[in-house]
Structure formats: C-alpha cells, structure tokens
Amino acid sequence: MKRKARGAGEQADGTENWYTGPAWQDRDGKAARRRKRIRTGVAAVIVAAGVVTFAVNPGDIRSKLSGVVGGDTVAKPLPAETAAPGAAPDGEAFPATPTLKEPFAGSPAVRYADGVAGIVPPEAKAVGRLSKDEVAAVLRQAKELLVDANLNPRTLRGERPAAALDLLDPLQPGTRQDLETWLAEPGREHDPLRLFTRFDPHEVRPAGDVVKTRGRMTFEEGQDGALAVHADYTFVYPVVRAAQGASEVTRTVVRRVVDFEVNDPERFQATPGKLALARFDSDFGNTACEVYDGFLHPQFPDSRSGSMTSGPTVDPYDRSKELSGDKSTGCGTVSRI
C-alpha cells in the first residue's frame, strides 16, 4: 500500500548491505504521505495537507535492494534533475522483473544515481548577507542531513540519526527536541518517519548494497533575508525478509521534500552553523497501513491481503507532482513498486 507522511550481516554473495556497510558512500505494498510545517505547527500524515494516504501494491512486483553504492548497470543513467519533470516515467520502458542479482530491474530507479551520488547541491552564489562560500557551506550541510536521514546504514537499521540531529538548530522551538521524542516514543502524532527512513532489521534486510536516489536541490533568498533551501528527493530501497535464505524481493519508495532556512542570528534566535526546518513532507510507497512504530514495513507480493482501499492509485515514481493538494485519507493503490 501507499502511505503518505507519517542487524543483518552480509548478503549471500559476500557484499556489504546498508545495515552493515559504509555510512557515507531504496502483505500489500502501501503508500503514505506526511507533512510537517514548522511555522504553522501542522504535523500530520497526509495525501496533500495533513492527512495519510495508503496504497496496496498491485501485482507480483519483485526487487532487490542495492544499497548506498553500486547498482544495476543495464540502463543508461539519467542526467541530473534540474527541474520538476513534466510527467511520470514511462513504465513500458522497464519491463523486467527484479531479482536478487538485479534489484532495480523493472523500475525507473534502474536509471537513478547510486546513493549519495544522487544528491548534488547546486552551484553556490551569494544570497543576502551570506557570501558564496557561506551558501556553499549551508548546501553541504543540507546534503549531509539528507544523507544521514535517508542513506546512512545506521539510520536505516533503526539507530539514532545523530549527525542529522546535530545539524539542526537547537534554538528552533519544538523541532530537534520533538524529533528526539519521536525517535524514543514513536506514534501516530509523533512519527520519526516524517524525516528519517528506518526499517526494522528483525523484519527485513537490504537486497544488495545500493539505495537509488533521484531529485534536486535549489536555494533562494527567503523571508526577512533568510537563506531558503528546498530539497526534493526520491529514495528507492530494495529489501528481502530478514529470515536466512529469503530471496523474494520488494521495494519501498520514499519521496521527501524538505525546506531548510538559515536566519540572521543578529535579528532572530538562531545558532550560527545550524539549520532550521521550515517544512518536511514525505510520501511512502509500499509500507504497512496504519502502523506507527517508527519503522517502514515493506509488504511482499506473496503476502498480499485483500485490504479495502479508498484512496486513489498513485505512481510512487512520479516526481512531476507536488506533495500537496488531496486531503483524503485511507488506503489506495500504488501502480508499481
């Protein structure tokens, strides 16, 4: 299903996975979206603005998780994304079925960049009071936070995302402290998945050592002279069950939109060298519906259930649409994983 924002060892072939590998180098499938706007205090799982959407994985779709580096080499990599695409990627161009050897086969993600290589900050320039070098430093910090939150093997296996938390401004009311609470005591109204990607290592393990990444980062001068950074990325995680010898593969697709701000510490309560969160939205393709334990729960084709659906059919690879608009809740259908 689709839900909208709300240790394993080596693989059989001896390669490291994203539970154990380097930190800095993607029942029924469900999908959901969650939004957090700091300024307004809105915090909810949404399909558009403040609700949750879920979707059932339709078909016998299989995959393998290639972690933070490496991956399938069958398709030519896409050029860097510099603007929102005009439409969803063509599904007919990806007819293959994913396997443990080719975890991204049958998915547009086969052409995505590998892990950190898919997060490329734009060229910096001076903005407001900040010099070109200062803007470049902020963009690097934004990338570091995204990497620790979505690609660091320790974060993915459910450990505390210390580096990401340390980049956040402790003076921003109700943000870093709230995130710490969500991690310690997850629940429907305080779900760490709103910002961090986490799997239960007792339930699933990566099908390989690569997570695929696709997206873009932009910046501009924001309100009151702040530097405003906008990040919009999709991460594709292929997994298998944690049981020894498991070979059936599925994927979970996570899209995140995160807005950062750097305010003038002479005018506002702000810590130099730290980031403030202005907004974070998440869209999850293929995770259990109405589960708020702080982990994503990928659903496998051989355990599909007949869950009732009420939401629309959604393509988790469609990056042409904003994560906003539809306020409906319930369980819908993902067109592919």
Side-chain angles (χ1 to χ4, degrees):
M1 289 187 178
K2 180 177 183 202
R3 168 175 152 194
K4 175 176 179 179
R6 141 184 127 116
E10 289 188 338
Q11 303 298 300
D13 59 4
T15 59
E16 287 184 319
N17 60 41
W18 46 255
Y19 286 140
T20 59
W24 302 101
Q25 304 278 71
D26 189 316
R27 300 177 275 183
D28 297 323
K30 302 178 183 179
R33 188 176 304 164
R34 307 181 180 187
R35 164 173 293 181
K36 173 73 172 180
R37 288 189 182 278
I38 301 300
R39 286 174 176 162
T40 62
V42 177
V45 181
I46 67 167
V47 171
V51 297
V52 166
T53 305
F54 303 85
V56 179
N57 182 357
D60 185 15
I61 305 173
R62 302 191 176 186
S63 153
K64 165 191 173 183
L65 174 62
S66 317
V68 180
V69 293
D72 302 37
T73 58
V74 176
K76 182 179 179 180
L78 291 168
E81 183 177 285
T82 57
D90 183 2
E92 296 302 318
F94 308 97
T97 298
T99 65
L100 283 171
K101 185 177 180 181
E102 299 291 345
F104 298 102
S107 161
V110 73
R111 300 185 64 196
Y112 289 4
D114 295 345
V116 178
I119 303 178
V120 181
E123 183 177 354
K125 63 179 181 180
V127 172
R129 65 182 179 83
L130 297 180
S131 68
K132 176 180 177 180
D133 288 345
E134 289 172 322
V135 171
V138 171
L139 296 177
R140 286 194 299 271
Q141 287 182 314
K143 175 176 179 175
E144 289 171 9
L145 190 148
L146 292 168
V147 169
D148 193 54
N150 300 283
L151 296 173
N152 189 330
R154 293 187 292 272
T155 302
L156 296 181
R157 63 175 175 252
E159 296 183 20
R160 180 177 177 272
L165 291 166
D166 189 56
L167 287 166
L168 297 176
D169 192 339
L171 294 180
Q172 184 181 15
T175 300
R176 181 169 171 175
Q177 299 90 334
D178 283 352
L179 290 170
E180 294 277 14
T181 299
W182 297 355
L183 288 162
E185 300 176 6
R188 186 185 185 108
E189 301 304 322
H190 39 96
D191 191 344
L193 294 178
R194 291 173 183 163
L195 189 62
F196 307 116
T197 303
R198 309 168 80 237
F199 295 89
D200 184 347
H202 298 98
E203 180 180 331
V204 296
R205 59 181 173 84
D209 62 351
V210 173
V211 173
K212 288 289 189 176
T213 306
R214 179 74 176 162
R216 64 192 182 277
M217 187 185 302
T218 59
F219 66 93
E220 62 182 3
E221 184 172 356
Q223 187 176 0
D224 298 316
L227 173 63
V229 179
H230 177 76
D232 182 344
Y233 288 92
T234 295
F235 303 92
V236 185
Y237 306 88
V239 296
V240 297
R241 289 183 177 86
Q244 186 174 3
S247 61
E248 185 184 26
V249 183
T250 192
R251 286 184 287 253
T252 290
V253 182
V254 177
R255 182 180 174 190
R256 295 200 184 277
V257 174
V258 186
D259 290 341
F260 305 96
E261 287 187 352
V262 175
N263 292 294
D264 185 351
E266 294 185 1
R267 300 178 59 196
F268 302 96
Q269 273 199 326
T271 304
K274 300 294 183 180
L275 301 172
L277 287 172
R279 162 203 175 191
F280 44 105
D281 292 353
S282 298
D283 198 13
F284 306 133
N286 189 25
T287 187
C289 191
E290 295 291 351
V291 178
Y292 299 96
D293 61 356
F295 295 110
L296 293 167
H297 296 280
Q299 306 293 281
F300 290 83
D302 70 0
S303 62
R304 294 193 305 270
S305 65
S307 300
M308 295 181 63
T309 63
S310 59
T313 297
V314 180
D315 182 355
Y317 294 99
D318 186 357
R319 295 185 42 76
S320 67
K321 300 175 182 177
E322 294 291 332
L323 297 189
S324 61
D326 185 357
K327 297 184 179 183
S328 63
T329 61
C331 292
T333 303
V334 287
S335 59
R336 54 181 169 178
I337 289 295

